[in-house]
Amino acid sequence: MVESRIAKSNCHFCGYLCGLEATVEDGRVTALAPDPTRYPYDENVLKGCRRWQTNMEVLDSPYRVNHPLRRVGERGSGKWERVTWEEALDDIASRLEKLATEYGPQTLATAIGGPHATFWPLHRFMNLFGSPNNMGIGQICWNPRIWMDALTLGWSIEADIDPNRSGAVFLWGTNPAQSDNSSFWRSIISISKTDIPLVVVDPRKTRTAAHASLWLAPNPGTDCTLALGLINVIIAEDRYDHDFVERWCHGFDDLCEHVAGYTPAYVSRECGIPIDDIVTAARIFSGDYPCALLSGRGIDQVGPNVAPTHRALAILRAVTGNVDRAGACLITEMSDYVPEVMLEMSDWMTPEHKAMQLNIGHTPLQSYDGFAAARICTEKLGRTLPARYLTSAHPSLVWKAMLTGEPYPVRALIVMATNPLLTYADTHLVYEALQSLDLLVVLEYYRTPTAQLADYILPSAGALERPLFQAHGGVANMGYGGPRAVEPYYERRTDYEFWRELGIRMGQGEYWPDATLEEAFARTLEPAGVSWEWFCETGLYYQPADFGKHAQINPATGEPFGFATTTGKVELVSEFLPTIGGERLPVPKQRAEALSRKSLSKGEPLTLITGARMQPYYASCYFHNKNFRKSHPKPLAEMSVTTAASLGFNEGDAITVATDKGEARYFVATTEMKDGLVGVEYGWWYPEEEEGTPELNGIWRSNANLLTDCDIASGEEMIGTWTYNGIPCVVYHSDRIQ
Ligand SMILES: Nc1nc2c(c(=O)[nH]1)N[C@H]1C(S)=C(S)[C@@H](COP(=O)(O)OP(=O)(O)OC[C@H]3O[C@@H](n4cnc5c(=O)[nH]c(N)nc54)[C@H](O)[C@@H]3O)O[C@H]1N2
Ligand SMILES: Nc1nc2c(c(=O)[nH]1)N[C@H]1C(S)=C(S)[C@@H](COP(=O)(O)OP(=O)(O)OC[C@H]3O[C@@H](n4cnc5c(=O)[nH]c(N)nc54)[C@H](O)[C@@H]3O)O[C@H]1N2
Ligand code: SF4
Ligand SMILES: [Mo]
């Protein structure tokens, strides 16, 4: 008789990690059900989610990579031979050793993606190996907000959106209806049914905006101006929080002077928003109640405007007293368990190796020097940010070092949990750079277009096959996840085992004491006084929120804790940023330059936003799924009815979108949004089509990043953020059939 058991595990098809119960027979999952006993459980989330039931299919999908594969023939030829893990690891280790001897350890780069995986083992390996060149998506996701909140408020914050205590809610450049179909989104729906004002700032009337009591549709990239306009009204109408400003803020007089010119009339012209709406929004933000604000990728991906926008929003919170206040936001705590910065072992990398970082001389904040200077502030209250994330190398510098050997040759790349040919900016540049390498290793579930260019594809263990401990980069005292249901199928392994095995081969053995990821998680949790087994029972570790910490008395000094900034106060005027060449106060930057003559000859210029999230896909994932493809078969370009009519387009027409960077093809979908804008989906590829170069499963057809650019010269000056939202483009009928 087949032995059957019930195993607890988690879905990992979005960051929410719903608990699941797996029926396991002979080491195989034979059935799945929601697990009501573990965090996070919400019956409605699971009912509304189309992804979780596909877990079993993904576990044994014919598209999955099950064994280590080595390239035979030309790079990108799509021909592979099966090798053992030992052969692959030995060869990779010896090739890396040779390259490092010739060029130095900085010749190895890594590329990572969204929050799909446990990344600290990669960082630990790189720190011990001596390479500062990890590329991430940090500059355009989450990271600008962490930087600006930390420098303005002393640390990272989390919105405290709660129908029982929030007096008003702002959602700014985020669309949880598509990007976070979880209980958070359900709490937004329930708020929209009360008389709590819900303000959504988004150039598109998203499903989220449809629930708003006030929808503001700014021109892309003008959010800093809008935020300064709200501050102008709040000060002019004397609606700011006098007590909080006097006691806890630095530089209020300078701020008043700075925002004086951002009158509703001026802001209305710049942002394309009616004056009355600006004034109403300012009054809603500054009511006699806590006001919560959550921002998203809409304002993370606006190039030069990213830092000033996040600074302006932090200041908006501060002048209204909405800092570390229940119903507004929580300044999070350092974790009780081993924080990311220790797990990644960034303090073990030598100053000589840090000094080889490509960012030096380009992005003074997103660099080891910037990190070290900021750390002095945050450590006043015992908190250290995760270093690797906030120092990640700028992709354009890494791609160019691969192609030109300047300032030094980068000859090897290990890609983990990302698909840069679809998700990094400037696909043509990424392609050329990957083709030029001596060694490309990809850790993946699938033979993605990126993996098709590799020397080795190594099969990663995924959801249900590996334990999870999701820890928010270590900036908050919470973690969630759970055990694996089964051992990995076939020869798949956890990414952790890859880095550990490679590390051991490179002489790092003493730093990899734990043979399994479970043991490593158990060690991580030890200082919090809980066991891995205890954690797996509940799926959640957290400490209750404690608000108003700045006013509490620090027993060591007898004084209030204050904020972990240069001045100990909220820095409306930054004393820190000018020390590394930044601005005291947020100044909106010129938006993207106009198109070149060549592109313009094809039509009237419009403004392009790329990558707004849609269900059921997730970045470049789930395009294998037949049902998803049936329900959403075509890559769409959204525009307003007026814009479409003015261009002579009908619903469903095949069109080409062109920027100075390149072209991509879409189908017209009209929707309510600002006129003169086009919004294209991202991530589109066709796993069912031909693999290998040149087609690479159709990545040259409707891939939004054929249209984008990450050139550092046009990026944000402190962090290097490039532009995904607010790019000049032209749009015309496609002459080719798709
Ligand atoms: N289904 C699905 N869910 C996902 C993902 C996915 O790919 N698919 N990705 C995950 C990831 S990695 C992330 S980072 C999160 C992102 O989560 P969100 O931040 O909610 O993601 P977006 O849908 O990109 O929302 C950005 C919104 O900003 C608007 N916008 C564009 N430009 C501007 C601008 O200049 N100003 C303002 N105010 N708004 C602007 C867009 O119209 C869009 O509605 O989602 C996660 N969830
Ligand atoms: N134009 C444009 N570009 C964008 C964005 C945009 O809005 N517009 N958004 C940006 C943002 S916010 C983000 S976060 C990125 C997302 O960029 P990516 O993270 O590159 O996107 P995904 O398609 O989710 O790629 C993840 C890949 O990792 C694999 N994978 C998943 N889990 C694991 C794991 O545990 N281990 C391993 N080894 N592999 C795994 C999946 O099979 C998949 O191929 O895209 C960015 N790019
Ligand atoms: S919301 Fe859906 S996709 Fe996300 S973890 Fe839960 S079940 Fe999986
Ligand atoms: Mo992201």
Side-chain angles (χ1 to χ4, degrees):
M1 211 181 84
V2 178
E3 195 202 337
S4 169
R5 66 184 170 93
I6 299 291
K8 291 175 183 298
S9 197
N10 297 70
C11 177
H12 199 180
F13 289 167
C14 81
Y16 201 53
L17 308 191
C18 292
L20 297 176
E21 273 184 354
T23 308
V24 179
E25 292 173 10
D26 275 349
R28 294 252 148 182
V29 178
T30 53
L32 271 183
D35 179 359
T37 67
R38 283 162 68 245
Y39 175 88
Y41 176 73
D42 183 327
E43 203 184 349
N44 293 319
V45 169
L46 289 154
K47 266 192 206 140
C49 174
R50 294 166 56 194
R51 292 197 197 119
W52 75 267
Q53 308 209 2
T54 68
N55 265 290
M56 278 179 50
E57 185 187 320
V58 168
L59 196 54
D60 207 4
S61 153
Y63 286 105
R64 282 287 287 265
V65 184
N66 296 326
H67 308 279
L69 298 177
R70 179 160 60 201
R71 163 167 81 85
V72 286
E74 292 290 294
R75 188 180 293 290
S77 60
K79 297 197 182 73
W80 308 95
E81 64 178 350
R82 198 170 139 181
V83 293
T84 66
W85 271 98
E86 305 322 302
E87 277 175 275
L89 283 159
D90 288 345
D91 186 40
I92 293 165
S94 89
R95 287 166 74 174
L96 283 180
E97 212 149 74
K98 270 200 210 105
L99 289 169
T101 309
E102 190 169 352
Y103 303 113
Q106 65 278 5
T107 199
L108 170 65
T110 47
I112 63 174
H116 315 289
T118 303
F119 287 116
W120 62 256
L122 171 149
H123 297 310
R124 179 179 294 182
F125 175 87
M126 288 290 272
N127 281 322
L128 298 170
F129 186 71
S131 173
N133 292 324
N134 172 60
M135 293 180 272
I137 43 74
Q139 286 96 341
I140 45 87
C141 181
W142 196 60
N143 184 325
R145 179 168 76 70
I146 301 292
W147 266 131
M148 292 304 131
D149 286 343
L151 297 177
T152 310
L153 311 168
W155 190 245
S156 176
I157 56 170
E158 241 160 52
D160 186 46
I161 297 179
D162 183 333
N164 297 318
R165 47 195 193 195
S166 303
V169 174
F170 275 63
L171 297 177
W172 201 308
T174 181
N175 179 19
Q178 297 286 346
S179 68
D180 183 321
N181 201 7
S182 66
S183 55
F184 169 68
W185 167 236
R186 264 149 244 282
S187 72
I188 297 292
I189 297 177
S190 65
I191 283 175
S192 73
K193 291 182 181 147
T194 68
D195 54 9
I196 298 171
L198 174 65
V199 181
V200 173
V201 187
D202 195 312
R204 298 184 310 138
K205 187 151 189 192
T206 57
R207 257 176 63 209
T208 305
H211 284 81
S213 47
L214 178 63
W215 169 47
L216 304 182
N219 292 321
T222 62
D223 300 84
C224 178
T225 305
L226 178 59
L228 294 174
L230 299 192
I231 299 169
N232 170 297
V233 174
I234 288 166
I235 293 174
E237 295 191 353
D238 197 13
R239 294 175 67 87
Y240 66 92
D241 183 331
H242 286 248
D243 286 348
F244 189 83
V245 166
E246 274 152 37
R247 180 71 187 85
W248 297 112
C249 294
H250 170 74
F252 186 64
D253 292 346
D254 284 5
L255 176 71
C256 292
E257 206 177 298
H258 182 68
V259 300
Y262 293 89
T263 60
Y266 171 78
V267 172
S268 166
R269 278 195 305 278
E270 285 292 302
C271 303
I273 295 175
I275 292 179
D276 286 353
D277 286 353
I278 295 167
V279 174
T280 305
R283 290 180 184 157
I284 293 173
F285 206 103
S286 54
D288 194 11
Y289 46 64
C291 176
L293 160 64
L294 180 78
S295 73
R297 255 30 74 189
I299 59 165
D300 274 0
Q301 303 181 336
V302 290
N305 272 302
V306 79
T309 303
H310 282 283
R311 276 272 290 141
L313 291 181
I315 292 170
L316 177 63
R317 294 176 197 277
V319 295
T320 50
N322 283 303
V323 177
D324 214 17
R325 176 182 186 187
C329 77
L330 172 74
I331 293 193
T332 54
E333 301 272 17
M334 194 78 185
S335 60
D336 294 337
Y337 52 84
V338 183
E340 190 90 354
V341 67
M342 298 306 287
L343 291 170
E344 65 189 18
M345 298 184 75
S346 280
D347 291 344
W348 277 252
M349 184 149 75
T350 65
E352 293 73 30
H353 289 142
K354 287 181 179 165
M356 294 309 290
Q357 193 181 36
L358 291 166
N359 292 7
I360 291 171
H362 294 282
T363 53
L365 186 56
Q366 183 87 8
S367 69
Y368 281 100
D369 287 349
F371 183 84
R375 182 173 183 163
I376 294 171
C377 297
T378 61
E379 285 195 342
K380 285 182 186 173
L381 295 181
R383 304 180 188 127
T384 310
L385 294 163
R388 291 291 294 199
Y389 188 69
L390 293 166
T391 54
S392 63
H394 197 283
S396 82
L397 299 173
V398 179
W399 304 133
K400 285 183 182 156
M402 289 173 182
L403 285 168
T404 65
E406 297 295 336
Y408 52 74
V410 172
R411 303 302 317 144
L413 176 69
I414 305 181
V415 173
M416 169 178 162
T418 183
N419 192 2
L421 278 174
L422 283 141
T423 57
Y424 278 48
D426 198 346
T427 309
H428 290 282
L429 175 67
V430 176
Y431 177 75
E432 296 298 324
L434 297 181
Q435 284 286 32
S436 76
L437 289 168
D438 291 339
L439 178 65
L440 174 61
V441 177
V442 176
L443 311 183
E444 252 296 348
Y445 301 156
Y446 299 105
R447 284 186 310 276
T448 61
T450 304
Q452 289 165 39
L453 297 184
D455 295 282
Y456 284 98
I457 311 178
L458 299 176
S460 295
L464 309 178
E465 300 174 303
R466 51 119 191 253
L468 280 170
F469 181 64
Q470 184 71 263
H472 282 303
V475 300
N477 196 8
M478 78 163 323
Y480 44 100
R484 52 178 130 201
V486 284
E487 287 301 311
Y489 286 14
Y490 308 101
E491 284 188 281
R492 299 172 196 160
R493 287 190 183 176
T494 62
D495 298 316
Y496 172 83
E497 286 166 273
F498 166 78
W499 293 108
R500 180 173 184 271
E501 286 292 328
L502 193 63
I504 289 170
R505 282 169 175 73
M506 314 292 295
Q508 303 176 359
E510 64 180 299
Y511 301 103
W512 297 96
D514 301 309
T516 64
L517 190 50
E518 281 87 349
E519 288 169 50
F521 286 156
R523 190 187 295 272
T524 306
L525 279 165
E526 232 169 55
V530 299
S531 66
W532 172 245
E533 290 71 27
W534 178 90
F535 172 78
C536 289
E537 281 302 309
T538 56
L540 174 69
Y541 176 81
Y542 85 107
Q543 291 298 329
D546 179 21
F547 295 96
K549 295 181 280 298
H550 50 280
Q552 294 167 7
I553 300 299
N554 181 348
T557 61
E559 298 285 323
F561 281 105
F563 295 89
T565 59
T566 309
T567 55
K569 294 184 171 184
V570 172
E571 297 208 336
L572 309 179
V573 164
S574 177
E575 294 301 327
F576 175 84
L577 281 167
T579 65
I580 57 166
E583 285 162 340
R584 302 171 70 234
L585 283 154
V587 180
K589 300 292 174 299
Q590 198 70 30
R591 282 183 293 140
E593 290 151 30
L595 283 164
S596 69
R597 233 170 254 283
K598 184 175 142 253
S599 306
L600 260 180
S601 66
K602 293 177 179 162
E604 284 301 301
L606 302 178
T607 302
L608 175 68
I609 58 180
T610 67
R613 273 58 179 151
M614 76 276 182
Q615 293 287 341
Y617 303 114
Y618 191 112
S620 71
C621 295
Y622 315 127
F623 287 89
H624 299 95
N625 185 295
K626 286 203 180 79
N627 291 331
F628 290 5
R629 289 287 293 284
K630 234 182 248 158
S631 73
H632 190 132
K634 290 178 177 178
L636 303 178
E638 291 184 320
M639 61 190 75
S640 71
V641 172
T642 313
T643 306
S646 75
L647 295 161
F649 295 161
N650 293 313
E651 187 79 20
D653 278 4
I655 58 162
T656 297
V657 179
T659 65
D660 274 347
K661 217 57 219 177
E663 294 183 357
R665 286 179 282 156
Y666 296 92
F667 294 89
V668 171
T670 54
T671 180
E672 197 172 339
M673 63 193 273
K674 210 166 179 68
D675 294 334
L677 280 191
V678 187
V680 299
E681 297 178 345
Y682 95 120
W684 275 86
W685 62 297
Y686 306 87
E688 71 282 8
E689 292 185 10
E690 196 169 340
E691 287 187 24
T693 52
E695 286 84 3
L696 292 169
N697 296 110
I699 62 160
W700 309 107
R701 208 183 305 155
S702 304
N703 168 2
N705 284 312
L706 293 166
L707 305 169
T708 62
D709 189 358
C710 61
D711 187 25
I712 195 146
S714 49
E716 194 278 332
E717 287 176 3
M718 296 279 106
I719 301 170
T721 302
W722 51 97
T723 305
Y724 284 147
N725 294 325
I727 305 169
C729 72
V730 288
V731 181
Y732 46 90
H733 270 118
S734 277
D735 48 8
R736 283 167 289 184
I737 309 295
Q738 305 226 7

